[in-house]
Each structure stands twice: as structure tokens, then as C-alpha cells.
Amino acid sequence: MQLPSPLQRVEFDEWEPYDVEVYFKRDDLIHPIISGNKWRKSYGHLLKFFEGNYNGILTFGGAYSNHLIAVAAIAEKLGIPSIGIVRGEINDNPALEKAKECGMKLIPLNRTVYRNKDISELIQLYPEIDFSKFNFIPEGGGGEAGMVGCQSIIDEISLPFDYIVSACGTGTTLAGLVNVLSEKVFAVGVSVLKGEDTLTTYIKHLTKKENFEVFEGFHFGGYARTTDELLSFARRFMNLTSIPLDYVYTAKMVFAFNQLLKQGYFPKGSRIVLLHTGGLYNAPII
Ligand SMILES: Cc1ncc(COP(=O)(O)O)c(C=O)c1O
């Protein structure tokens, strides 16, 4: 594990006229699988595991979930049993194969039951497993415990800075950042989901703070959707900076930053940190 993750100055030709200093916080380099916000969001849940009287950890995810394989890899490293409840069918995609290789027991759950996170059916199907001995980590590692480890991202940045920008799914990562930011620093979130207009309320509720803004207009059609415009921008950025991006989260974040910069959102002289939240194992742009 590479911690603290590197903070890298980024030069990109399209940003030169705007007189800002841009850095990338390379959380993607923490670990090939336990990468980006996966390590950060699991941290608080692991503290709960160690504080409680548990035998293992159990979590939830779709068949291509970054979170599921990251939890599997963490459990393998720590030598603790893990269960992954998979939404719908278990297919033999590389992510689930990797989770299995790490020793995670994968259990499929039909989509309706999964939506309600109702495990009573599982208790009947798997009487040999004592589910009460497993610490439940919510889907994506979200919630208040998920925020705890995100706070160290800010502690690791040794330079003073004015803005931090992150992709948002559930908003947990952004909330973790906002929670520990000084009032002088502003956080910008880029939602990758379509029609997700509850993020601002959610983050305000978790942090009781207002020094952030979430942009909803950069989802490119919705979760994991892309367009030629997004992909060609991301490829050009990757070629010129050698920073890899994924098409679900980080490409949309950099695209949004680029647009906002050109619209004058970031004042001249600003120092801005873009957070690389990972996602490269499942959805790299090639
Ligand atoms: C690579 C990557 N970036 C960003 C996010 C969004 O994080 P959050 O759900 O905490 O907003 C996720 C989802 O966990 C992710 O997998």
C-alpha cells in the first residue's frame, strides 16, 4: 500500500491561459485494487470491525463493483473471512473472479430482495453461516463510517490549497473531505449519476457545512455512460499528462473541471487539487 498517496503537479495545455496551479492527489496509486476512495471509505468500517466482536466482514455490490473487489482484497490482506452479496446473477467477469481469488464467498441475491437489503432469505438458505458475526459494510462503503478515512486525504496534502474537486456517486467521499476542510477551502463535487439531486442535502446533513458545491450536469447520460466527446477529451488528457482515467468517475470529474475552469469558476491564482478516486481496475479508458 502506498500511503500517503502522491500529490502530483499537473500541466495540461488547455489550462495554461487560466493562471491556476493544478495538482492531482493520486489515490489511484494506493494499491492496484484497494485503490482510490476504496481504501479511504473502508477504513472507518474496518475500525468498527476491529472494535466489535466479529468474525468477518460482509458487503454488497453489483457484478462489476469496484467496492466488492476492494473489500475482498482488504479482507485477504488482513486475513479475515469476507462475504460479498452480489446483486442479481453471478457471472464470470474478471472483477468477481478476482474477488473469489481473494477468498471472498460470493452469494447472489435477486434484485428485489437486494434492493431492500433483506437478508432473512439468506439466513434460511445458508444456515451454516452466522451472519450476526459479520460486520456489515453498506454498498459502496458509504455512510458516516465511510467518511472517516476520507479525512486523511486532506491531512496528507502538505501544501495550502483553495479548492478540491472529486467525482461523486453517493457523496460520501465529498462529505468526508468537506467535514475536515477549513472554511477557506471549497470542495467541488461532480455527480456521475443522472437525476441525483439529493447529494447537496445529503452532504449538508452529514457535515453541517456549506463550503462545497455539487455539479449535476456532467453525467454524460448516466452512470457508466460515455460519449465520444468525453472519451476523446479523456484520451487527450491521458496522452499529455500520463495520468490514467476511468470512464465512470474520474474522466467525468476532469472534464467538468476543464469546463468550469474555462467558464471562470476558479479565480486566477487558485491552487486546485483534483482527487483521483481510482476506478481503473474495472473501467479504465484505453
Ligand atoms: C472510482 C470511484 N470514484 C468515485 C466514487 C464516488 O464515491 P462516493 O460514492 O463516495 O461519492 C466511487 C464510488 O465509490 C468510485 O468507485
Side-chain angles (χ1 to χ4, degrees), residues 35-38 41 65-67 139-142 146 150 166-175 192 199 223 246 248-250 275-280:
S35 129
N37 63 354
K38 296 295 152 278
K41 284 168 75 178
S65 160
N66 291 321
H67 167 73
E139 192 171 17
C150 300
S166 174
C168 292
T170 62
T172 306
T173 305
L174 199 74
V192 304
L199 279 177
Y223 184 75
D246 81 302
V248 181
Y249 293 98
T250 51
L275 177 62
H276 200 310
T277 47
L280 301 171

Side-chain angles (χ1 to χ4, degrees), residues 221-267:
Y223 184 75
R225 298 285 172 84
T226 60
T227 63
D228 289 345
E229 186 191 17
L230 175 68
L231 292 178
S232 65
F233 168 80
R235 288 197 181 105
R236 185 164 183 282
F237 176 83
M238 288 170 31
N239 282 338
L240 292 180
T241 63
S242 302
I243 296 178
L245 298 175
D246 81 302
Y247 61 81
V248 181
Y249 293 98
T250 51
K252 293 179 185 180
M253 182 276 289
V254 181
F255 187 99
F257 167 70
N258 186 60
Q259 276 306 82
L260 293 171
L261 179 65
K262 290 177 179 173
Q263 288 164 13
Y265 185 84
F266 300 97

